[in-house]
Amino acid sequence: MEPYRLTATQAVSQIQAGTLTVLAYAWAHLDWELVLRRARELDAILPDERGPLHGVVVGVKDVIYTKDMPTQHNSLIYKDDAPALDTGCVTILRSSGARIFGKTTTTEFAATIASPATRNPHDPARTPGGSSAGSGAAVGDFQVPIALGTQTGGSTIRPASFNGVYALKPTWGAISREGLKIYSLTLDTLGLYARIAADLELLGGVLGLSDDETDSDRSGNSEAKGVSGMRFAVLKNPRAAFPEPGPGSQHAIAKGVALLREHGATMPAWHGTVMATDGRVAFLPESRAHRDRLDEQLAGQVENKGGFTHKARLAALGGIAALHPRVDEVLQGYEALLTPSVPDEAPVGFENTGSAAFNSVWTALHVPVVNVPGFQGENGLPRRRFTRGAPVS
Amino acid sequence: MEPYRLTATQAVSQIQAGTLTVLAYAWAHLDWELVLRRARELDAILPDERGPLHGVVVGVKDVIYTKDMPTQHNSLIYKDDAPALDTGCVTILRSSGARIFGKTTTTEFAATIASPATRNPHDPARTPGGSSAGSGAAVGDFQVPIALGTQTGGSTIRPASFNGVYALKPTWGAISREGLKIYSLTLDTLGLYARIAADLELLGGVLGLSDDETDSDRSGNSEAKGVSGMRFAVLKNPRAAFPEPGPGSQHAIAKGVALLREHGATMPAWHGTVMATDGRVAFLPESRAHRDRLDEQLAGQVENKGGFTHKARLAALGGIAALHPRVDEVLQGYEALLTPSVPDEAPVGFENTGSAAFNSVWTALHVPVVNVPGFQGENGLPRRRFTRGAPVS
């Protein structure tokens, strides 16, 4: 098998067995010299001194600082900016022997909706999703076996689904967010990408994810083997009961909402309220220093065009926080809850990276979420390209 | 008056009036060339193009990244490290015309208890407090009129009290924390220092602090003038009802706690649980890459020597979050609540920066806190050196 088709798990095992050197595995187009130099350094390390990701290349979303590469946030303000700073998770990856292959594309500050230049590897006419567009596409396109993204609404899980790969949004706060550009402190979460579940487990373990309860502690069932005997929940989607409303109905609803707001009523959209009010604080520095080079939507958040009050913000933060223990209590009876990652296959075009309708609630609830590639839309997208790491035609 | 004795408000007003140039005000010992160069640049700016902090020098705690100076966190790991990155609040300050005077000392990662080299300007045998030791001392010693610190337990308010200056720990999340080294996402808060209240207001305003309710909205009393008619709460300290226990009693309590823990009981110390479990995640990167140069207490947090479970962490986070709306409700009937900042004057010696007993709860509750210098201990510390910005003998 060509080295580029290897999963992280396969690469680790072949490098350990001595049948693959890091150098041979080291293709690159973004930072060839750097990645090659690091490969030579790694091949010189004695086998028993090698880390758990020895030699594996990792794509890193370009809102995550890396000391030897630019970090530009897809922002005109930070074009060619290259602070010599390693994010906490990058420090861990480097000390585990991983090679940072390059920086992957993102929507502006991982906070806007237009796709960056990246195309969907399954269909170049479609968006790879966002905001972690490049990480999802690079893993889906076999350019790297694993990658890092972030999620504030659906920014990790949605691209995973559109590109047909696995992803994990871990429990909020379980991995250091040191050195990730901030959009929202209570929503932003590091995300992990891989083509197989074992690679997610490998990467998550290296980054310190661990449980202190055994499976039988959780399920109360020590007899379970495989999934037999395990309990799963399925979330029935309330939206599925209704067809998509047409333009007339949508206009009428929008007008109703505007009228109600005008007369002082509120609609408690907690996730949106937290994101907008956190964005107001997060992008104030950029707005003060470089208003003309900041995305108009983000500048609008800074200027509080949505008219959010401090009271509304506190109510949203408090409302979400009060749900955390209640949802944990409901979920603790199950191994997992099944719910769609996206409404459907990746949309055609690049104006919009797709809907986060199925993601925002779980981001706000801080629970871990895994995207398991499985669905195909009416155009057969994403195509099934991997089974346990091996490509299928 | 010598320029170094000016408050920020006085400096702004004299520079605006043309009676003081930025250059004349520009003493420095840490970054003289840089501060001087910036002074010349600022003096060349036309009066109507000047920012609200034009020319004012600011001390910045050394866990806050600044693009043109080292950021070392008082850590052996980051000695001489200088990532070219401006923290969000530093970006705002620079675009307001402020000059970053230098970096102020901190305990290691603003997370340990031993004082750095800084002495208390009121008595060099005593600690200036921590972890924002340098910012509190530099403002108290007239080296800068304003400074930035951070607070996770009592790291802003305690040094303010020990150095006899004003400080503000704003509402959590009200100012961007982009570029502040992370200890705890839910506790860390930027802190502001000044010698007079007007300077805190000036600095807070520049950093975007604002209310969307008027005083009469809050108090329901539109007739209030000055403090007449305002309502204040006073927190009676439960500890005041008891004398300090002696060594025998303390030993007995410690043994009881250890025995209860050993048999599976828990004592819900929510702030400590959140700080320890956040620290476990925050310092994992440093531990993985440079275990030998990390403080032993922090390495212990990473290794979870306290034996905190995920369940205990979630209970602490949930318990604190559930208190937020309840405390907001109690406090909304008052302009402010009065409570001590510290147990007493700064302790002699440098092994310990003092107790955060009166601070941690407010940090966890996310409410804004102001230190108003007023108290003096039995040794007359801190000495009263300022009234409305003018030194008194």
Side-chain angles (χ1 to χ4, degrees):
Chain A
M1 194 186 295
E2 307 94 317
Y4 79 87
R5 290 214 163 249
L6 297 177
T7 63
T9 306
Q10 290 169 328
V12 165
S13 135
Q14 294 195 18
I15 293 171
Q16 276 172 353
T19 57
L20 179 71
T21 61
V22 178
L23 187 54
Y25 179 54
W27 48 247
H29 54 251
L30 281 179
D31 299 271
W32 176 244
E33 283 306 322
L34 190 68
V35 176
L36 205 62
R37 193 163 66 238
R38 179 85 175 123
R40 288 197 197 95
E41 288 165 15
L42 286 164
D43 278 334
I45 294 175
L46 293 175
D48 61 352
E49 289 169 5
R50 294 175 175 184
L53 287 176
H54 184 84
V56 176
V57 286
V58 184
V60 175
K61 184 177 182 179
D62 202 20
V63 291
I64 301 175
Y65 290 96
T66 45
K67 138 181 319 207
D68 48 9
M69 297 173 187
T71 301
Q72 305 180 80
H73 314 289
N74 190 17
S75 157
L76 294 172
I77 298 169
Y78 294 98
K79 190 161 164 13
D80 301 324
D81 200 33
L85 180 73
D86 267 347
T87 296
C89 53
V90 169
T91 298
I92 295 175
L93 291 179
R94 287 196 207 271
S95 70
S96 306
R99 286 176 297 150
I100 308 306
F101 175 70
K103 306 301 280 285
T104 58
T105 57
T106 174
T107 66
E108 185 170 333
F109 297 118
T112 63
I113 55 168
S115 280
T118 308
R119 304 303 174 100
N120 190 308
H122 298 271
D123 177 352
R126 293 170 192 267
T127 178
S131 63
S132 310
S135 288
V139 172
D141 197 37
F142 291 88
Q143 297 183 23
V144 279
I146 52 177
L148 303 180
T150 62
Q151 176 155 317
T152 307
S155 280
T156 289
I157 294 300
R158 180 176 40 193
S161 186
F162 288 170
N163 293 285
V165 300
Y166 283 84
L168 169 62
K169 180 201 84 64
T171 304
W172 180 89
I175 298 177
S176 166
R177 68 154 297 153
E178 184 80 48
L180 274 57
K181 186 82 171 92
I182 297 171
Y183 182 7
S184 165
L185 282 185
T186 54
L187 298 173
D188 297 349
T189 316
L190 186 77
L192 316 181
Y193 288 98
R195 285 195 301 273
I196 60 166
D199 280 7
L200 272 191
E201 210 173 330
L202 174 67
L203 180 57
V206 165
L207 291 171
L209 296 180
S210 67
D211 262 328
D212 52 19
E213 291 179 328
T214 64
D215 287 345
S216 62
D217 282 345
R218 271 197 306 279
S219 65
N221 179 354
S222 57
E223 301 301 309
K225 280 188 181 140
V227 296
S228 168
M230 287 186 177
R231 289 162 52 85
F232 290 86
V234 178
L235 184 66
K236 291 190 180 161
N237 177 19
R239 295 189 188 215
F242 302 101
E244 182 71 15
S249 300
Q250 289 190 24
H251 177 76
I253 292 286
K255 189 171 175 186
V257 167
L259 280 167
L260 285 167
R261 282 233 169 92
E262 209 171 283
H263 290 80
T266 56
M267 275 123 285
W270 288 339
H271 177 277
T273 301
V274 171
M275 197 158 75
T277 55
D278 276 350
R280 183 181 179 185
V281 167
F283 301 114
L284 179 65
E286 283 80 9
S287 174
R288 284 283 178 82
H290 310 283
R291 172 68 174 80
D292 55 324
R293 286 183 281 159
L294 182 64
D295 172 85
E296 201 51 44
Q297 173 212 337
L298 301 182
Q301 283 189 1
V302 173
E303 288 145 23
N304 195 20
K305 291 217 166 129
F308 295 96
T309 61
H310 289 306
K311 194 170 276 181
R313 169 178 166 75
L314 291 179
L317 284 169
I320 291 171
L323 279 181
H324 286 174
R326 290 166 63 185
V327 170
D328 286 347
E329 195 183 335
V330 171
L331 292 181
Q332 75 182 2
Y334 303 93
E335 292 293 325
L337 176 149
L338 276 67
T339 181
S341 293
V342 289
D344 215 323
E345 59 190 5
V348 171
F350 305 95
E351 297 73 35
N352 193 305
T353 52
S355 164
F358 294 114
N359 309 125
S360 300
V361 60
W362 309 113
T363 310
L365 289 173
H366 290 183
V367 296
V369 178
V370 174
N371 181 66
V372 179
F375 96 98
Q376 281 190 315
E378 55 184 336
N379 298 293
L381 297 174
R383 293 193 302 278
R384 301 221 171 82
R385 305 172 79 188
F386 341 108
T387 59
R388 307 227 14 107
V392 288
S393 58
Chain B
M1 196 186 293
E2 305 95 317
Y4 79 87
R5 290 214 162 251
L6 297 177
T7 63
T9 305
Q10 290 169 327
V12 164
S13 135
Q14 294 194 20
I15 292 171
Q16 275 172 354
T19 56
L20 179 69
T21 61
V22 177
L23 188 53
Y25 178 53
W27 48 248
H29 55 252
L30 281 180
D31 299 90
W32 176 244
E33 283 306 322
L34 190 69
V35 176
L36 206 62
R37 192 163 68 239
R38 179 83 176 125
R40 289 195 195 96
E41 287 165 15
L42 286 164
D43 279 334
I45 294 175
L46 294 175
D48 60 354
E49 290 167 5
R50 294 176 175 184
L53 287 177
H54 185 85
V56 176
V57 286
V58 184
V60 174
K61 184 177 181 179
D62 203 22
V63 290
I64 301 175
Y65 290 97
T66 45
K67 137 179 321 206
D68 48 9
M69 296 172 187
T71 301
Q72 304 180 80
H73 314 289
N74 189 17
S75 158
L76 294 173
I77 299 170
Y78 293 99
K79 189 160 165 18
D80 301 324
D81 200 32
L85 180 73
D86 267 347
T87 296
C89 54
V90 169
T91 298
I92 295 175
L93 292 178
R94 287 197 207 269
S95 70
S96 305
R99 285 175 299 150
I100 308 307
F101 175 71
K103 305 301 281 285
T104 58
T105 58
T106 175
T107 65
E108 185 170 334
F109 297 118
T112 62
I113 55 168
S115 280
T118 308
R119 304 303 175 100
N120 189 309
H122 298 271
D123 178 351
R126 291 170 193 266
T127 177
S131 63
S132 309
S135 288
V139 172
D141 197 38
F142 291 89
Q143 296 182 23
V144 280
I146 51 179
L148 303 179
T150 62
Q151 176 155 317
T152 306
S155 282
T156 289
I157 295 301
R158 178 177 41 192
S161 185
F162 287 170
N163 292 285
V165 300
Y166 283 84
L168 168 63
K169 180 201 83 65
T171 304
W172 181 88
I175 298 176
S176 166
R177 68 154 299 154
E178 183 80 48
L180 274 58
K181 187 82 171 91
I182 297 173
Y183 182 6
S184 165
L185 282 184
T186 54
L187 298 173
D188 297 348
T189 316
L190 186 76
L192 316 181
Y193 288 98
R195 285 194 300 275
I196 60 167
D199 280 7
L200 272 191
E201 208 173 333
L202 173 67
L203 180 57
V206 164
L207 290 171
L209 296 180
S210 67
D211 262 329
D212 53 18
E213 291 179 325
T214 64
D215 286 346
S216 62
D217 283 343
R218 271 198 305 280
S219 65
N221 179 354
S222 57
E223 301 299 311
K225 280 186 181 141
V227 294
S228 168
M230 286 185 179
R231 288 161 52 84
F232 290 86
V234 178
L235 184 67
K236 290 188 180 163
N237 177 18
R239 296 189 187 216
F242 301 100
E244 184 70 15
S249 300
Q250 289 189 25
H251 177 75
I253 291 287
K255 190 171 176 187
V257 167
L259 280 167
L260 284 166
R261 281 232 170 91
E262 210 171 281
H263 289 79
T266 57
M267 276 123 282
W270 289 340
H271 177 277
T273 301
V274 171
M275 198 156 78
T277 55
D278 276 350
R280 183 181 179 186
V281 167
F283 300 114
L284 179 64
E286 283 79 9
S287 174
R288 285 282 178 83
H290 310 282
R291 172 68 175 81
D292 56 323
R293 285 184 280 160
L294 182 63
D295 172 85
E296 202 50 45
Q297 174 210 336
L298 301 183
Q301 284 190 359
V302 172
E303 288 145 24
N304 195 21
K305 293 218 165 130
F308 295 96
T309 61
H310 290 306
K311 194 169 277 183
R313 169 176 167 77
L314 291 178
L317 285 169
I320 291 170
L323 279 181
H324 287 173
R326 292 166 62 185
V327 169
D328 287 347
E329 195 183 335
V330 170
L331 291 180
Q332 76 182 0
Y334 303 94
E335 292 294 326
L337 176 149
L338 277 68
T339 183
S341 293
V342 288
D344 214 322
E345 60 190 6
V348 170
F350 305 96
E351 296 73 34
N352 191 306
T353 52
S355 164
F358 294 115
N359 309 127
S360 300
V361 60
W362 310 111
T363 309
L365 289 172
H366 289 182
V367 296
V369 177
V370 175
N371 181 66
V372 179
F375 96 98
Q376 280 189 315
E378 56 183 336
N379 298 293
L381 298 175
R383 294 193 301 279
R384 302 224 169 78
R385 302 172 79 187
F386 340 108
T387 60
R388 308 222 18 104
V392 289
S393 58

